[in-house]
Amino acid sequence: MARFSCAVSGSPALIRWELNQRSLPLDSDRITVLPNGVLHIRDVTMKDAGNYRCFATNTASRVTSREAELSIIPASGPRPLMKPHIIAGPQNISAGLHQSVVLECLAEGNPRPLVSWSRADSKPIDVFGARVLGNGNLVISAVKAQHSGTYLCRATTPGTRNYTLAAGNLTVLLPPTLLEKPESQTRPRAGTARFSCQAEGTPAPRITWFKNGQVIHSNGRTKMYRSKLVITQIIPEDDAFYQCQAENSRGSVVSTSRLIVVLSEDRPSAPRNIHAETISSSAILLAWERPQYNADKVIAYSIHYMKSEGLNNEEYQAVIGNDTTSHIVDDLEPARNYTFYIVAYMPMGASRMSEQVTQHTLEDVPLRTPELSLTSRSPTDILVSWQPLSPKLSRGRVSAYRLSHRTASDDSLTSVELPVPGQNCTQFLLQGLRPDTIYLIRMSASTRVGWSQPSAWSSHRTPKTSSATVPPAPNLELEPLNCTSVTIRWHPTPSDAAIQGFKLCFHPDGQSEGSILQLPPQDHQHTITGLNPRVKYHVKLLAFSANGDGYQAHQTVNTPGCPSAPNRRLAALPPPDHIQAEASSSSSVSLSWGRPAFSSGRAVSFSVRYGPASPSDADTVRYAQTTEQTVTLSGLRSNTRYEFAVRLHMDQMSSPWSASVYHRTPLEAPWSPPQSVRATLIEDGTALVSWDPPDQPDVCVTHYTVLYASHSAGSAGEWQVLQREAVNTMALLEKLESGSVYLVKISASNPAGDGPFSGTVELRVRARAHQGKNPRHTDNHAEKTAFIDGLYHVDEKSMPGIIVGVCIALSCIILCVFILLTKSETHRKASSSKMIGQVRNEVMRCDASSANQQQAETAEALIPMMRTHFIDTKGGANLLINPAGPVTSDAHNKLNKRSIFKNTQKSNGNKRKIDDPAHVYEVGKPVLHYEDEQILFRPLGESESSQTSTGDSGNFSQDETEDKPDAPVTHVM
């Protein structure tokens, strides 16, 4: 980023820039020239290098500046990631009406941060008179009074919550205007005349009073306080013209009134022997004697009193009848001196004023305690400071303070009494505290009369213990500027930490902390505007350095009340009414309202404020401007309760915000299907289907629908349906047909509707393993088989032939057994017994194999074929397990044992072994796995003797393999 400034003195001129003595092409997003002549170049490239100069022209002449060279240093590598940083933030600016101002905000970071603007008082920025120039600077053309305030520049890293803030105050200078003008009046001699004059403007105007064009100075009878002029004991010389002048740097305004004095010679003398006696802290008894002359003509007495100390004190008056010569004045402040005098009235005039008398009211307990300021200068102490109470609140001389504190988790209270010496003490240091602990502190004050009520508890957390050196708390001073503004001044405490800036936060009493303003290190003063009158505010300030945030200074301030303005030319605008919100979709709401009924036919506009009703989403409040009485707000979140309010604008006035209206956006049906659908066969006829929720922000899912069917059924639309709650993202598919290919798809649903289905996933269900000697035969659970990829599969039409063949084979086996039993008596009997045992064992093992078939096939799907070094601890050292059943290996037998799953072919009268590498098992595909040495796979039920036999006890006899063509024989999984 590059920045060039060009300042021109004299009459207004047009400023232009040149690069290498050629006109500079402007890019509204990258190269911009501000109204004050500043040139900004973002994301500089090599082509931006060169000599820059500006020239200014007006009707009189043209002036050219000297050249400034911009050199570009090539980057050595990719830019590292960098948090957003504001290198040139907005400054405090004062501007007159209708002038154009620029609030600067230049930020850098990687990736390039996004710059946005808002106001510290949460008021909307006037979008009709403001615009963002380029990617950062806020330009307000023709500023108006409502543009005054503190503006926040926020630089945010795209797609994250990383941001930084900078603040600047815009003060619109306004000429004074009179809110209340003095009125002409007629008063009798010895009477009292009061003139009132109230004005507003920026800066605050100064009021000056004139009598016949001459400045009035306060004296015993004529006093000026606030915006009033009071003349007591009027004499004929007071008959004159009186002028009120309100003046500030932007101009002045004058209003004139007349005082007419009525003279009467037949008037009573003044009341005599005035006596005052104190009754209480707020009451004084006043007594007197009637006038010496014309006392019978007196119709009333007027009692005048004011505070004796101070200048420009307001004079009060009480009128009583002529039937008494005493009166109790009971609206006085405690521990104050008051001066009294009395005037007698008759129909044609008033007497001279009596002699003056001064009396003191009694002390009382303090009306309240001071506001506390809590600051930690180390992790184990809290500096409690306060300002002395005003005489009106102390109601006497404060003689002592009582300071009490405890931790937030402990009810044990510690108190210390602080006597007040000749001058009021204003601070006390609590020591020996625990670090990183919340302490509650309160105070009470006393006079000689007694103690006041304790203040409310104030909380403060002591800092954490850290070895890093951070800045100490600044010395903070708060001063109300007017009823809506407070000036903050601070002085950094000397330390070794290098201050990089200050962080300021303020919020009304009883509310959460607002946004944090970041101020440059050279600033030691800031003005907060847009506050509410008669509200207590908490102000917190800290300095930060490279080691982190420093200790925090905390003080409170009360804004005064605004002066009344009974004679405003325009009354306050009423807010819009009859606000109605109606959701037009899950992400938009239509808002309508009625225009208040007032007679003005001027053009009006409206501001709409909307955002989630949840307090945690306060940062997402947005604003919209319109001149219509309806607006459609889009980009909302579904199934979210929103808050809406509308205000009215006319000329330079704005109404209060209307009462809030709440409306919840409807629930949105899922528009994204479930993700990452997976189907896995876990055992015969059973598969596990799992998935991930839809890839949709803030999606609400109540249940999932799983559809599955075979290829043929799916084509016909005959799907089987399963539903699962939203907390489950998996389902079991049971009773699947062996050897079939299934299609699976899933959708997400909620009460608003069903979402789209996911892509179809194929699931291959393998055929069940063979159990007999003939691999062409299937078990009793198989319904269909087909020959796929070199495997034997038989359909249902072949079943009768298979059954007949099996029966014939069994008959042959029984016949052979019978012949063997009849050949010999001893040897044949033994052999027969052994053979019968083998047959029985085979039948028992077949039954066991059928019972454990699902478990065996599950294990087969999860692990590869076992080799000889995998030992089953239950079957002994020589027992192995594979998907077809147990396999035994005789370690003492050196003969090579053959698997029934290897291909045999005839070559030169010898059998050859096929040396193929072991295959990795895949679901739905046959596996042929063998070793070169001593590996035997056979179905469960084969006896050890049948393995070693050279006859027809194997699965295929030697004759069968020699008589038939060579063909691979595999086991169907």
Side-chain angles (χ1 to χ4, degrees):
M1 178 181 297
R3 179 185 182 192
F4 296 94
S5 298
C6 182
V8 180
S9 61
S11 60
L14 178 63
I15 298 177
R16 299 180 183 275
W17 286 87
E18 292 181 343
L19 171 59
N20 297 329
Q21 299 183 2
R22 294 184 179 180
S23 178
L24 179 65
L26 299 182
D27 185 340
S28 60
D29 184 55
R30 201 176 68 89
I31 303 176
T32 55
V33 177
L34 302 183
N36 58 1
V38 176
L39 172 65
H40 287 300
I41 305 176
R42 299 179 183 272
D43 301 330
V44 294
T45 61
M46 297 301 296
K47 66 179 182 180
D48 296 322
N51 295 319
Y52 288 81
R53 69 177 182 181
C54 70
F55 61 92
T57 57
N58 60 14
T59 56
S61 63
R62 166 180 169 138
V63 179
T64 304
S65 70
R66 56 185 177 86
E67 293 185 341
E69 183 180 1
L70 173 62
S71 301
I72 308 298
I73 301 175
S76 58
R79 293 181 60 194
L81 295 177
M82 184 174 61
K83 292 183 179 180
H85 175 64
I86 297 177
I87 59 177
Q91 304 296 318
N92 296 335
I93 300 176
S94 297
L97 279 175
H98 311 302
Q99 289 184 353
S100 179
V101 298
V102 178
L103 295 174
E104 191 176 19
C105 187
L106 297 179
E108 65 178 4
N110 188 25
R112 190 175 75 177
L114 301 177
V115 176
S116 59
W117 287 90
S118 62
R119 288 176 59 114
D121 55 7
S122 300
K123 293 181 180 179
I125 296 177
D126 185 5
V127 296
F128 297 107
R131 60 189 177 93
V132 176
L133 188 63
N135 192 33
N137 297 325
L138 179 66
V139 179
I140 303 177
S141 56
V143 295
K144 302 177 183 177
Q146 62 265 27
H147 289 138
S148 292
T150 301
Y151 289 79
L152 304 178
C153 164
R154 180 194 295 256
T156 307
T157 300
T160 70
R161 296 185 178 180
N162 296 329
Y163 69 91
T164 184
L165 286 175
N169 189 64
L170 171 60
T171 302
V172 180
L173 303 178
L174 303 173
T177 57
L178 292 177
L179 302 178
E180 184 177 1
K181 299 179 180 180
E183 296 180 352
S184 299
Q185 48 191 298
T186 301
R187 292 290 182 269
R189 183 168 60 179
T192 301
R194 293 181 175 85
F195 297 95
S196 181
C197 180
Q198 294 186 12
E200 67 177 0
T202 305
R206 179 172 57 92
I207 302 296
T208 304
W209 288 94
F210 297 87
K211 177 184 178 182
N212 292 332
Q214 301 295 322
V215 177
I216 299 177
H217 299 284
S218 295
N219 54 40
R221 293 187 310 106
T222 304
K223 294 186 178 181
M224 291 173 291
Y225 54 93
R226 297 182 185 174
S227 58
K228 293 183 179 180
L229 171 66
V230 179
I231 305 174
T232 59
Q233 288 300 302
I234 294 175
I235 60 177
E237 289 77 9
D238 295 330
D239 192 317
F241 288 95
Y242 292 86
Q243 296 171 308
C244 164
Q245 176 180 300
E247 183 180 16
N248 65 8
S249 60
R250 307 302 297 179
S252 64
V253 61
V254 178
S255 180
T256 303
S257 59
R258 171 76 185 275
L259 173 60
I260 301 175
V261 180
V262 177
L263 303 177
S264 175
E265 296 299 332
D266 189 13
R267 60 191 178 119
S269 59
R272 301 173 296 161
N273 301 327
I274 309 300
H275 173 72
E277 182 179 349
T278 301
I279 298 178
S280 68
S281 62
S282 61
I284 291 178
L285 173 62
L286 199 65
W288 63 92
E289 293 181 5
R290 296 179 180 274
Q292 185 176 3
Y293 305 105
N294 296 326
D296 56 337
K297 297 181 180 180
V298 174
I299 60 174
Y301 293 99
S302 174
I303 300 174
H304 301 258
Y305 58 97
M306 68 184 70
K307 296 174 186 176
S308 301
E309 294 85 8
L311 300 175
N312 297 331
N313 290 321
E314 186 173 359
E315 181 183 278
Y316 300 92
Q317 181 181 7
V319 179
I320 60 174
N322 62 352
D323 56 348
T324 182
T325 57
S326 64
H327 180 72
I328 296 177
V329 182
D330 58 0
D331 57 349
L332 308 178
E333 296 180 6
R336 283 300 190 102
N337 287 322
Y338 281 88
T339 299
F340 300 87
Y341 69 88
I342 303 173
V343 176
Y345 281 88
M346 57 177 292
M348 297 303 295
S351 70
R352 296 182 180 274
M353 66 180 187
S354 67
E355 67 273 12
Q356 295 182 349
V357 62
T358 300
Q359 187 64 21
H360 190 77
T361 55
L362 298 178
E363 287 189 346
D364 205 341
V365 296
L367 190 61
R368 70 182 188 195
T369 57
E371 299 289 349
L372 300 182
S373 173
L374 308 176
T375 303
S376 289
R377 300 187 182 274
S378 74
T380 59
D381 64 37
I382 298 178
L383 179 63
V384 184
S385 57
W386 60 91
Q387 294 296 326
L389 289 171
S390 64
K392 183 176 182 179
L393 298 177
S394 65
R395 303 204 287 189
R397 179 182 175 274
V398 175
S399 58
Y401 294 104
R402 181 180 295 154
L403 195 63
S404 303
H405 71 277
R406 66 179 179 87
T407 63
S409 58
D410 188 5
D411 294 334
S412 177
L413 190 66
T414 302
S415 299
V416 58
E417 192 166 312
L418 310 174
V420 177
Q423 295 181 352
N424 285 347
C425 63
T426 57
Q427 64 181 19
F428 183 77
L429 183 64
L430 297 175
Q431 296 177 304
L433 307 180
R434 297 198 296 265
D436 195 21
T437 304
I438 297 177
Y439 281 88
L440 302 179
I441 302 171
R442 71 180 181 186
M443 174 181 278
S444 56
S446 74
T447 60
R448 290 179 296 177
V449 179
W451 289 92
S452 68
Q453 291 293 326
S455 64
W457 290 105
S458 298
S459 64
H460 181 80
R461 180 187 290 273
T462 54
K464 297 180 180 180
T465 303
S466 175
S467 59
T469 301
V470 295
N475 297 318
L476 194 60
E477 298 178 4
L478 306 179
E479 179 185 356
L481 186 61
N482 51 47
C483 61
T484 59
S485 303
V486 171
T487 299
I488 304 172
R489 299 182 181 90
W490 62 90
H491 305 285
T493 304
S495 69
D496 296 333
I499 297 177
Q500 295 182 344
F502 298 93
K503 292 183 179 179
L504 174 66
C505 175
F506 62 93
H507 61 92
D509 188 29
Q511 297 185 15
S512 59
E513 294 186 2
S515 57
I516 298 177
L517 306 181
Q518 186 169 318
L519 305 174
Q522 64 271 16
D523 283 4
H524 293 164
Q525 178 175 328
H526 184 75
T527 300
I528 304 175
T529 60
L531 306 180
N532 295 322
R534 300 185 183 276
V535 174
K536 176 181 176 181
Y537 282 88
H538 293 261
V539 179
K540 300 178 182 180
L541 180 74
L542 61 85
F544 64 91
S545 64
N547 294 329
D549 292 345
Y551 296 133
Q552 179 177 266
H554 176 197
Q555 284 191 24
T556 58
V557 63
N558 292 280
T559 54
C562 292
S564 59
N567 295 330
R568 277 187 177 270
R569 294 186 295 272
L570 289 175
L573 295 176
D577 51 15
H578 296 88
I579 302 175
Q580 296 181 349
E582 181 178 356
S584 53
S585 69
S586 60
S587 61
S588 61
V589 169
S590 295
L591 199 67
S592 61
W593 57 88
R595 173 172 170 167
F598 55 88
S599 58
S600 175
R602 300 181 183 179
V604 298
S605 62
F606 301 92
S607 295
V608 179
R609 182 185 67 197
Y610 62 102
S614 173
S616 60
D617 294 336
D619 291 341
T620 59
V621 175
R622 288 179 284 179
Y623 297 88
Q625 302 284 338
T626 181
T627 56
E628 305 295 332
Q629 293 178 227
T630 180
V631 66
T632 299
L633 307 173
S634 58
L636 309 182
R637 298 202 299 258
S638 65
N639 195 28
T640 303
R641 188 168 182 258
Y642 277 85
E643 177 184 4
F644 305 90
V646 187
R647 76 188 308 181
L648 172 68
H649 306 282
M650 184 177 71
D651 293 339
Q652 298 182 7
M653 299 184 62
S654 299
S655 73
W657 287 104
S658 66
S660 296
V661 174
Y662 298 90
H663 191 77
R664 180 177 293 275
T665 54
L667 185 66
E668 180 183 22
W671 46 261
S672 176
Q675 304 293 310
S676 304
V677 179
R678 302 169 294 275
T680 306
L681 191 67
I682 59 175
E683 61 183 20
D684 279 349
T686 304
L688 176 65
V689 178
S690 62
W691 60 91
D692 294 335
D695 185 14
Q696 179 179 343
D698 302 323
V699 64
C700 175
V701 178
T702 57
H703 65 276
Y704 294 98
T705 302
V706 181
L707 298 185
Y708 67 99
S710 62
H711 258 300
S712 57
S715 301
E718 299 174 356
W719 295 87
Q720 301 186 55
V721 182
L722 289 178
Q723 286 195 344
R724 292 293 181 265
E725 298 296 329
V727 294
N728 296 327
T729 56
M730 60 179 60
L732 285 176
L733 308 183
E734 299 178 321
K735 299 181 181 180
L736 303 179
E737 296 179 356
S738 175
S740 297
V741 178
Y742 278 82
L743 305 178
V744 182
K745 58 183 179 180
I746 307 172
S747 70
S749 305
N750 61 21
D754 301 328
F757 279 95
S758 65
T760 303
V761 176
E762 288 190 355
L763 172 65
R764 295 180 179 272
V765 182
R766 63 178 178 272
R768 291 180 176 83
H770 299 293
Q771 297 298 325
K773 292 183 179 181
N774 195 337
R776 297 177 179 86
H777 294 180
T778 61
D779 60 351
N780 294 332
H781 299 286
E783 297 180 0
K784 299 181 181 180
T785 58
F787 186 77
I788 302 176
D789 296 336
L791 303 179
Y792 283 95
H793 290 261
V794 184
D795 56 14
E796 294 181 352
K797 296 181 180 180
S798 303
M799 289 302 297
I802 293 174
I803 295 174
V804 172
V806 171
C807 293
I808 294 175
L810 290 176
S811 300
C812 294
I813 292 173
I814 295 173
L815 181 60
C816 293
V817 171
F818 178 77
I819 295 173
L820 291 174
L821 289 175
T822 58
K823 284 187 178 181
S824 63
E825 296 178 355
T826 304
H827 179 70
R828 289 194 201 91
K829 290 180 180 179
S831 301
S832 299
S833 300
K834 184 175 181 181
M835 180 62 68
I836 293 172
Q838 291 174 355
V839 172
R840 291 177 179 175
N841 189 28
E842 179 180 358
V843 173
M844 293 176 64
R845 291 186 180 179
C846 287
D847 293 339
S849 175
S850 299
N852 298 327
Q853 184 175 6
Q854 288 183 339
Q855 182 176 358
E857 291 186 356
T858 303
E860 178 185 5
L862 299 177
I863 62 174
M865 285 293 187
M866 292 185 175
R867 301 181 183 272
T868 56
H869 56 275
F870 288 91
I871 305 300
D872 181 16
T873 58
K874 294 183 179 180
N878 294 330
L879 181 63
L880 303 180
I881 302 297
N882 76 356
V887 180
T888 59
S889 175
D890 188 0
H892 302 288
N893 192 350
K894 300 300 181 71
L895 297 177
N896 292 333
K897 301 183 179 180
R898 298 172 297 172
S899 170
I900 61 171
F901 297 124
K902 79 182 168 180
N903 293 334
T904 58
Q905 52 184 337
K906 192 172 183 180
S907 176
N908 297 325
N910 297 323
K911 299 180 180 179
R912 293 185 297 130
K913 296 182 181 180
I914 303 176
D915 298 327
D916 291 334
H919 296 283
V920 178
Y921 179 75
E922 297 183 13
V923 177
K925 293 185 178 181
V927 174
L928 183 61
H929 193 87
Y930 55 87
E931 291 280 354
D932 288 342
E933 295 183 359
Q934 299 183 359
I935 300 300
L936 182 61
F937 300 98
R938 56 191 176 84
L940 183 63
E942 290 280 351
S943 64
E944 185 177 354
S945 60
S946 65
Q947 297 178 42
T948 57
S949 174
T950 58
D952 296 336
S953 59
N955 285 317
F956 296 94
S957 66
Q958 182 71 20
D959 295 337
E960 288 179 282
T961 58
E962 291 177 354
D963 295 339
K964 296 182 179 181
D966 295 340
V969 179
T970 59
H971 182 71
V972 179
M973 299 297 176

